């Protein structure tokens, strides 16, 4: 569902941050994307989301060459990808419920058709008692789970999460990992960018895509 062929990326006129990346992400797969801070994990996720263009090489998403997509096709493809950003990106003036429901409102669904789905997902991430709360009163862990619920509400085929446990204590991080594994078992491909070795040790069966010195090493 996703492949990189000899992809290189430089910012501006600097040297290449990512060099000769070639890998695939298969349907229904689970992988950690890892490497130290500054290794290029977030940059790689931005390439997948087509918010950055590679300097060279080819990126294929759901069978389509990313470089050839029209604007509306980019929008369609992005809808098949759920993203949990490192900084959550919740809207401060909307309640937790409204934040999670927003992607459905954007695609024109009416509330009657999705209310139960949103509530069920909020239950799944353990936020059912917080639905009317504004983001400003939520803890880091609650915001994190709200961002995950919002990414999942559109039932993406591919979920990308950037350092999803960065703000969490180890117990919550473990719980969150279980959510991601459950999601994977229900058929979604999951890519979790993390430099948290302890988190990766919790799920040793996962593939590891390791960035080091701009290059990617894959451990099956
Ligand atoms: N917009 C940008 N312009 C220039 N350099 C950037 C930009 N974003 C990230 N970088 C640089 O690219 C490298 C990889 O960053 P990043 O992808 O954020 O790494 P990670 O997510 O693994 O910590 C770092 O050296 C960072 O300073
Ligand atoms: Mg990062």
């Amino acid at each position: 569902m996703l492949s990189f062929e000899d992809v290189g990326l430089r910012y501006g006129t600097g040297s290449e941050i990512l060099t000769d990346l070639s890998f695939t992400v298969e349907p229904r797969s689970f992988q950690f994307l890892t490497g130290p801070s500054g290794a290029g994990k977030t940059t790689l996720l931005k390439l997948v989301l087509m918010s950055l263009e590679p300097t060279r090489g080819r990126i294929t998403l759901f069978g389509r060459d990313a470089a050839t997509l029209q604007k509306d096709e980019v929008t369609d493809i992005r809808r098949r990808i759920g993203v949990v950003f490192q900084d959550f990106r919740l809207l401060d003036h909307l309640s937790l419920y409204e934040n999670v429901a927003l992607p459905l409102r954007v695609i024109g669904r009416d509330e009657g058709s999705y209310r139960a789905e949103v509530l069920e997902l909020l239950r799944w991430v353990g936020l059912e008692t917080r639905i009317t709360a504004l983001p400003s009163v939520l803890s880091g862990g609650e915001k994190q789970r709200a961002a995950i619920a919002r990414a999942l509400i559109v039932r993406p085929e591919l979920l990308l999460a950037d350092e999803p446990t960065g703000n969490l204590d180890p117990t919550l991080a473990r719980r969150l990992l279980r959510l991601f594994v459950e999601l994977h078992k229900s058929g979604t491909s999951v890519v979790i960018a993390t430099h948290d070795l302890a988190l990766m040790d919790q799920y040793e069966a996962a593939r590891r895509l390791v960035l080091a010195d701009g290059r990617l090493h894959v451990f099956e």
Side-chain angles (χ1 to χ4, degrees), residues 3-9 16-24 33 39-41 43-45 47-48 56-59 210-218:
S3 83
F4 275 44
E5 289 165 67
D6 297 323
V7 169
L9 185 279
E16 279 198 342
I17 301 284
L18 300 173
T19 296
D20 296 337
L21 298 196
S22 294
F23 68 97
T24 60
L33 169 63
K41 302 179 293 296
T43 301
L44 191 156
L45 296 181
L47 287 168
V48 175
R56 60 191 177 83
R58 192 212 311 253
I59 297 176
V210 182
L211 280 172
D213 301 323
R215 293 176 184 270
L216 188 80
H217 308 272
V218 179

Side-chain angles (χ1 to χ4, degrees), residues 26-73:
E26 301 298 329
R28 313 176 79 89
S29 61
F30 187 109
Q31 40 267 301
F32 290 114
L33 169 63
T34 185
S37 184
K41 302 179 293 296
T42 299
T43 301
L44 191 156
L45 296 181
K46 285 181 178 163
L47 287 168
V48 175
L49 284 171
M50 298 178 284
S51 56
L52 267 181
E53 277 179 30
T55 317
R56 60 191 177 83
R58 192 212 311 253
I59 297 176
T60 308
L61 281 159
F62 303 105
R64 302 290 309 277
D65 181 340
T68 67
L69 295 173
Q70 306 294 317
K71 232 179 173 167
D72 54 333
E73 295 173 316

